[in-house]
Every structure is written in C-alpha cells, then in structure tokens.
Amino acid sequence: RRPTGAARAAAGSGKRASGAGDFGGAGTPSPELTAKLEPRKGPTKVPLNTRVLASTEARLNWLVNDRQSTVTNIVDVALQEFFDRYRVPPADHDGRITEQES
C-alpha cells in the first residue's frame, strides 16, 4: 500500500507528526493529545456522491486552497445558499423538513 499524502508529507519532512509520543509522566497522555483524541461533536454528516464538470472541480479546488477550507464545508455553504435562494424549507438536525404554512 502507498502511504497517504499526509503520511508521505510527514515522512518526507523529517518531522514527527504533531502529538506523536507526547506523553506526560507515568505513561499518561498529555492534555494536548487527549484533546486531539476527543470525539468530534457537530451536526451529522452523510455522504453525497456526484460528478461535476472538470472546470467546476478546478474552481472548487482553487477555493479550497485559497480559503484554507475543505470541499465538504464549501459544498455545504454553496448548497445552503442555493436552497435559500429557491426558498427550500430548512431541515431539522435529523434531516426532516417540516413544511411551513404560508
């Protein structure tokens, strides 16, 4: 298996990965390492698979790099703005839309 990009970058830089071997006394993990291992809390995310034009992907990748963001965050914001423009009702945290009366 080939290492991932992050693994190749860490191996090639000669630096230890952040948090690697950071232990306090008596084998207790440091607070920094413990914080990194805490489960991430936030809204539930589900996979969304689609195909886009090569030109769209190029623009998306540019924005990801320019804004130091992620594809997931950019696509979510873009879709939310699109839904708002077309007055699609909001969904609750479980993904249910409750139709609003006019």
Side-chain angles (χ1 to χ4, degrees), residues 78-100:
L79 285 172
Q80 294 300 329
E81 289 184 9
F82 180 82
F83 295 149
D84 290 348
R85 182 182 311 149
Y86 285 93
R87 294 183 176 89
V88 176
D92 65 17
H93 290 292
D94 294 322
R96 292 185 302 256
I97 294 177
T98 54
E99 293 293 331
Q100 299 175 4

Side-chain angles (χ1 to χ4, degrees), residues 13 22 52 54 57 76 91:
S13 70
D22 291 340
V52 296
E57 181 193 31
D76 191 61

Side-chain angles (χ1 to χ4, degrees), residues 66-86:
D66 184 68
R67 299 297 166 105
Q68 301 289 308
S69 190
T70 65
V71 170
T72 298
N73 289 343
I74 290 171
V75 168
D76 191 61
V77 168
L79 285 172
Q80 294 300 329
E81 289 184 9
F82 180 82
F83 295 149
D84 290 348
R85 182 182 311 149
Y86 285 93

Side-chain angles (χ1 to χ4, degrees), residues 16-64:
R16 279 189 332 177
S18 177
D22 291 340
F23 288 98
T28 305
S30 69
E32 294 83 13
L33 181 59
T34 301
K36 289 179 184 178
L37 297 176
E38 289 293 319
R40 295 179 186 254
K41 295 182 175 102
T44 302
K45 295 181 181 177
V46 297
L48 174 67
N49 298 311
T50 189
R51 298 176 67 82
V52 296
L53 297 173
S55 57
T56 301
E57 181 193 31
R59 295 175 78 192
L60 178 58
N61 288 334
W62 182 92
L63 190 57
V64 165

